[in-house]
Amino acid sequence: MKIENSEKSPDLIVKPERSHFSHMLAKNPNYFGNIVGSKLKPIMQLVSDTGYEQLTCVGYNPDTTNMEATFSIKRPSGYSGNLCHFGSFEHVRFYLDFHDGAGFIDQGSVAVNVHDIPNHKDCNGKYIFPIQYVATLKKKTNRFSGCSSPLLPTLRAILSWSVDPPAASPNWLPVWGSRMDSDVQFKPSWKFNPKDFEIDWSHYFEIAKASPNLTTKQLKDITGFDIDQLATIAPTLSLSDLVAKYDKLKVPASRTVYKKVYNMIKYPTSELTIMDKSMLEKLNININSIIDQIIALPIDTSKANVDFEELECVGLDYATESLVATLKIKKKTGFIGDLCDPGSKEYISFWVDWDDSCAWQYVNTVELKVHDIDMKGDHLSYSVSLPLDATFHRKLCSNPNVIKVRGVLSWNLAPSTTNPNKLEYYGNRIDSHVQIKPGIELNPGDVIPLFNIIGGIDVAHVNDATGLTSTGAFFAFNGVPVPTGAPFGGIVVLNGPSFPGYRYKIKITNLVDGTFTYASDSFTVVGSLPFSPWVQYTTQTPDSGGYYPFLDVSKNTLNVLARFTPGTEDKFLIEMEVDTIPGVFSKTIQMDNTAPVIQLQIDDQGDCTHYAKGDTINGTFYVYDKNLYYWSFGSTWGTGTADPSGTTNTPALPGTSFSIVTLANAYPCGSISLYAVDKTIVDSQGVGHYTPASYNICLKEKK
């Protein structure tokens, strides 16, 4: 691979407003004029600059409820360091507007870690930029509708470099980044009358709520009821009815009978072909004309007929390492029935060129159900994803691994699994460059003990001496930052590469008292299927020797290796052993399972009506935690002589004194409140044990 000599390349020149971005914002949050209505006068105007990054697609998957935003990283520099350093973050916040008057509803944000990567040409002589990344988040807001009333909200994504878009601000524009909207489709709900089924519904849903990872088949085994039988089986339209319906809607016959004619070409002498041919002739379908259309080679070898659907983006979710493809449905009809009918399928096959050798390797094909929908805009956007196992394709951080991926779209007919260039009559293909996470270089067949995420944090961001998080730590799967010096509490989850065919065990040693045990809890992992029901669940249970089996990535998308609860406030050594493989991999973590201790004392002699309007309310508050993150103090009448917040413990009991002066016309009733949060990473997915306290006070009228 030849690295281009880019000493004078404008791509390597980082604008000062980019390199000094955080310092400029520290001086003036509205330095660049992107905060509408701010009283702060901007120093320069720079809003939605897309020279470094830009959204290219926004889509949604009705079956997995994943919102996906694909964005391009356009330059080799300007991202705060290479892969051996912290780099920076691209933040994406999602919104949904259901067109019911409520406006855009915040769905949360996710961040993707990006870095400076040297530019070079691939085996085809094309530069690797732009590199395509994907941010993924589950939708939070639920809305329900039947199949006869499609629910088509607008999905909005806001991409912002270095700054998380503010919550509940759908019209906010970033300094660096962009905003994009697309209409999407929610999956219709089942409709049934519970009285038609003799089942204790409260018991059924109680079990389902208590064990959310149970499959419907497992629930059936426990309760004796198969909830899948509630799904209405859609009737299939007869060919004559479909032809008549689509003829009125001016859907071309080549679309309506495409699959039948394709099979005629493939199996010209079969009995079914003879029957279908006779039927189509009775319906006045010009079979020969359609055959001529189907076998004609497209002028553009990357694009066949895209009148009805078109693949727009292919990228890699950097956090979960899943391939993501986003496509547009461009017409209201031509998909073999509406949401109350079976509809048809879009197929997207994924290919990878691992070694920049211009040799494609087939990964898998994912299905997507599509229907006739009376959409209000000019398209609906859908996304599909597929886990990618990159265990044997990682490179060190000093050698960035940018590979090429391909998505091939085909309607109602599965694309080739052997020829990456072949297009069927409907569909197209897209090639993109994506970046694989750096890591330990392994050759196929190599097996080592290794986990790379502990408690939700990359092991490189956990200090071996203290067992606490180091500077720049963040949650590996969503990019949310965590405080420096954070311990761990509750459930600790391990993630790491998988070596199917081998087995492993996890040793947990208390470094304070020297005792140890092996992880022995059963746990359920979530896998992916490229077809309905789209997900699969596998329960991991150690064998008699205490070993768990490694699972294929399709059965364990996030490569969860163990879930255990050490408890205590002690320091632990976590070690991984692989059966028949020498050596261990270890990491030290510090536990903290105790919430902050706080106390709020009001000098009112135990009488909440002790004070009158115009009096001064006196008291003390106390906060202590060995890993304190922050505390906050306030009241209906202000904070008086006390600070409203802090990041260090207060003096020993009775703590910090406060005096709050109330006015003669003060609110008669209110409260004084205090809460504290520690730094603990709780259950491997959130930050902070939270302890609140409040005291209600009613002020009497002054006599």
Side-chain angles (χ1 to χ4, degrees), residues 128-375:
I128 63 171
F129 286 92
I131 300 175
Q132 303 297 327
Y133 295 80
V134 180
T136 303
L137 195 66
K138 292 279 186 185
K139 61 99 174 169
K140 293 180 180 178
T141 304
N142 291 318
R143 291 286 191 276
F144 303 98
S145 68
C147 62
S148 58
S149 302
L151 191 57
L152 309 175
T154 297
L155 175 63
R156 170 170 290 181
I158 302 176
L159 170 71
S160 171
W161 177 72
S162 194
V163 175
D164 189 5
S169 303
N171 296 318
W172 184 84
L173 292 172
V175 176
W176 305 101
S178 60
R179 191 174 72 193
M180 179 176 277
D181 293 355
S182 279
D183 288 346
V184 298
Q185 177 238 317
F186 269 33
K187 191 173 185 177
S189 308
W190 293 344
K191 289 186 176 181
F192 65 95
N193 186 349
K195 295 180 180 179
D196 293 340
F197 300 89
E198 295 182 3
I199 176 177
D200 183 350
W201 289 103
S202 60
H203 174 64
Y204 184 91
F205 288 116
E206 192 176 291
I207 293 174
K209 183 179 180 181
S211 304
N213 288 328
L214 288 176
T215 65
T216 54
K217 183 180 182 302
Q218 290 170 325
L219 283 168
K220 175 188 174 184
D221 294 339
I222 296 171
T223 66
F225 179 72
D226 182 8
I227 199 169
D228 289 332
Q229 69 178 279
L230 300 180
T232 303
I233 300 175
T236 302
L237 284 173
S238 69
L239 182 60
S240 58
D241 288 342
L242 183 65
V243 169
K245 174 183 176 181
Y246 275 4
D247 186 52
K248 291 179 181 178
L249 295 172
K250 301 193 181 304
V251 176
S254 57
R255 181 77 175 187
T256 310
V257 299
Y258 166 63
K259 195 166 185 178
K260 286 191 176 295
V261 175
Y262 177 89
N263 286 330
M264 288 179 187
I265 299 171
K266 191 172 183 180
Y267 310 106
T269 60
S270 74
E271 185 177 340
L272 185 59
T273 293
I274 296 171
M275 292 173 58
D276 286 343
K277 189 173 183 180
S278 174
M279 184 184 304
L280 294 180
E281 288 173 345
K282 290 179 180 178
L283 294 171
N284 296 317
I285 302 293
N286 189 334
I287 300 172
N288 292 336
S289 174
I290 296 174
I291 290 175
D292 290 340
Q293 293 179 53
I294 291 175
I295 64 175
L297 294 175
I299 297 175
D300 183 348
T301 57
S302 67
K303 184 183 294 186
N305 187 316
V306 292
D307 292 343
F308 290 81
E309 59 276 292
E310 184 172 5
L311 188 60
E312 294 247 301
C313 293
V314 175
L316 182 73
D317 183 328
Y318 189 67
T320 64
E321 290 197 315
S322 294
L323 293 168
V324 177
T326 302
L327 63 137
K328 282 184 177 179
I329 296 300
K330 302 161 78 172
K331 289 187 179 291
K332 298 180 179 182
T333 57
F335 301 94
I336 320 299
D338 60 26
L339 285 166
C340 297
D341 300 320
S344 53
K345 293 179 181 179
E346 303 286 355
Y347 294 89
I348 302 92
S349 66
F350 289 99
W351 301 76
V352 177
D353 179 6
W354 285 113
D355 305 311
D356 192 26
S357 59
C358 287
W360 292 105
Q361 178 181 324
Y362 174 69
V363 183
N364 210 336
T365 298
V366 182
E367 299 177 4
L368 174 73
K369 293 181 180 179
V370 288
H371 302 81
D372 296 345
I373 295 177
D374 185 18
M375 54 190 178

Side-chain angles (χ1 to χ4, degrees), residues 488-547:
F488 298 82
I491 300 170
V492 177
V493 179
L494 299 185
N495 307 76
S498 188
F499 305 97
Y502 287 82
R503 56 183 191 156
Y504 65 92
K505 62 168 57 173
I506 304 297
K507 185 179 181 181
I508 307 163
T509 302
N510 187 314
L511 295 178
V512 175
D513 61 19
T515 60
F516 70 88
T517 186
Y518 283 90
S520 59
D521 291 343
S522 295
F523 59 96
T524 300
V525 296
V526 182
S528 173
L529 290 171
F531 45 79
S532 182
W534 316 111
V535 295
Q536 56 180 323
Y537 300 93
T538 303
T539 299
Q540 284 281 70
T541 301
D543 59 22
S544 58
Y547 290 94

